[in-house]
Amino acid sequence: MDTRALRAFIRLGRFPFLLSGFVPFTAGALFAFLLGARFTPGEFLLGYAAMAAAHLSVHYSNDYFDADADRFVETTAISGGSGVLAAHPELKPAALGAAVALMAASLLIGWAFVTIYDYPPVFLVFGLAGNLLGWFYTAPPFALAYHNLGEVANMITFGLLMPGAGYFVAMGGLDAAFFTFAVPLSLYGLVFIVSVEMPDREGDIAGGKRTLVVRRGRIFGFALIAVAAALATAAFTLFALMGAFAPVDFRPVAVISCIPLGIALWGFSNRCAERAGALRYATANIFGYFLFWGLVVVCFAREAVGSLLGP
């Protein structure tokens, strides 16, 4: 593999998008810490490494199995894949090999994690579920994104698996507190995937991908994003008013959730069925999604530092 091909192969991995998994994982771990869990940096890093390998595998496998469909879409900052295999079809075998190797690495790292730190083997379910969901998101015979299930897969991934793995690493298991916390997080997973689908509608139709935006249109997509963001804000507000997760203070999280809600409502009020206009608001939704997660991590981290330092 020459230097240019190597650069293309690295670009195929879309490494910056690993942030979409790392931040929820970190938030889950910090949430558990605030509820009384204790964990070491080594546990955190090795636990995340297992999930990161699975996440990176998805990038390679999705581009491989989406190669034919992606011929019809224009790559954007938030959608359309990396576009690498269209320009470098000779890299397809390497992409498939990388996806398989990373899946194996994910499971091996997960096994090392539960062995070294004496965690329940059920942690391996996170790695296995993440790998299977990622692989069959586009791979036959299930090809979830092509059979009306892509949105559900993303809600599970970013609402349950990634923050749940972080929570598990810290707490040693899952409980009712986490599953309650996961409800609004799953709604944000829906906001994320529907926004990503917006620019690709015409290409996905040509490529045979049955996304929600393909089936129902962009106007419906903007409405669904607004509803999901509103329900997430309502849930966080309820957590704050009820003091449901004391001593964790959810008032700042409820306020932060108004950012993606405001962006979602802006997009809905200017809802556009045309690609060029929709791309602007879809990109804004993705920005709001990442800003929400980043600020929640900062908020939880400040609370964690405060609990360590004491009054």
Side-chain angles (χ1 to χ4, degrees):
M1 189 181 295
D2 60 32
T3 302
R4 188 170 71 171
L6 179 60
R7 287 199 299 267
F9 180 76
I10 293 172
R11 193 165 69 251
L12 181 62
R14 289 175 286 168
F15 284 83
F17 276 87
L18 290 177
L19 190 66
S20 66
F22 175 75
V23 179
F25 181 94
T26 303
L30 287 171
F31 180 52
F33 178 84
L34 292 171
L35 290 176
R38 292 295 182 269
F39 60 98
T40 67
E43 289 171 325
F44 176 86
L45 291 174
L46 194 59
Y48 173 68
M51 301 305 293
H55 192 176
L56 189 59
S57 172
V58 173
H59 293 174
Y60 285 100
S61 64
N62 277 2
D63 267 32
Y64 176 83
F65 290 110
D66 262 349
D68 290 338
D70 282 348
R71 290 180 297 131
F72 302 103
V73 301
E74 179 183 344
T75 299
T76 72
I78 65 169
S79 66
S82 67
V84 169
L85 294 183
H88 299 275
E90 72 279 3
L91 290 179
K92 288 186 69 175
L96 182 61
V100 173
L102 286 163
M103 287 174 65
S106 171
L107 296 176
L108 285 172
I109 295 169
W111 174 82
F113 173 80
V114 300
T115 301
I116 293 171
Y117 294 108
D118 194 27
Y119 268 60
V122 71
F123 176 78
L124 295 175
V125 172
F126 283 99
L128 182 61
N131 278 296
L132 291 177
L133 268 179
W135 181 265
F136 288 117
Y137 186 72
T138 50
F142 302 113
L144 302 174
Y146 292 80
H147 294 96
N148 307 345
L149 291 172
E151 295 78 24
V152 174
N154 273 269
M155 291 175 73
I156 293 172
T157 298
F158 294 111
L160 288 172
L161 289 182
M162 294 307 293
Y167 190 92
F168 193 107
V169 163
M171 189 68 78
L174 300 181
D175 52 26
F178 169 73
F179 286 112
T180 305
F181 180 49
V183 171
L185 304 187
S186 299
L187 291 168
Y188 283 127
L190 183 61
V191 169
F192 178 86
I193 187 57
V194 175
S195 297
V196 168
E197 292 171 355
M198 287 289 191
D200 292 346
R201 184 171 190 268
E202 292 78 10
D204 285 343
I205 291 172
K209 188 179 287 188
R210 299 288 297 167
T211 69
L212 188 146
V213 173
V214 164
R215 302 191 310 271
R216 302 297 300 272
R218 290 191 174 104
I219 301 299
F220 178 85
F222 280 119
L224 183 60
I225 288 169
V227 169
L231 290 174
T233 294
F236 285 129
T237 301
L238 187 63
F239 296 165
L241 292 175
M242 294 179 60
F245 299 108
V248 187
D249 184 2
F250 264 83
R251 289 175 297 178
V253 178
V255 173
I256 292 167
S257 73
C258 292
I259 296 173
L261 174 59
I263 294 173
L265 293 174
W266 175 58
F268 175 69
S269 67
N270 293 279
R271 53 196 178 277
C272 178
E274 299 301 320
R275 181 182 187 275
L279 176 59
R280 176 187 182 190
Y281 302 110
T283 302
N285 282 324
I286 297 299
F287 173 79
Y289 171 86
F290 280 109
L291 184 58
F292 165 80
W293 271 118
L295 290 175
V296 167
V297 167
V298 170
C299 177
F300 281 177
R302 289 185 62 183
E303 283 193 58
V305 171
S307 70
L308 289 173
L309 296 177

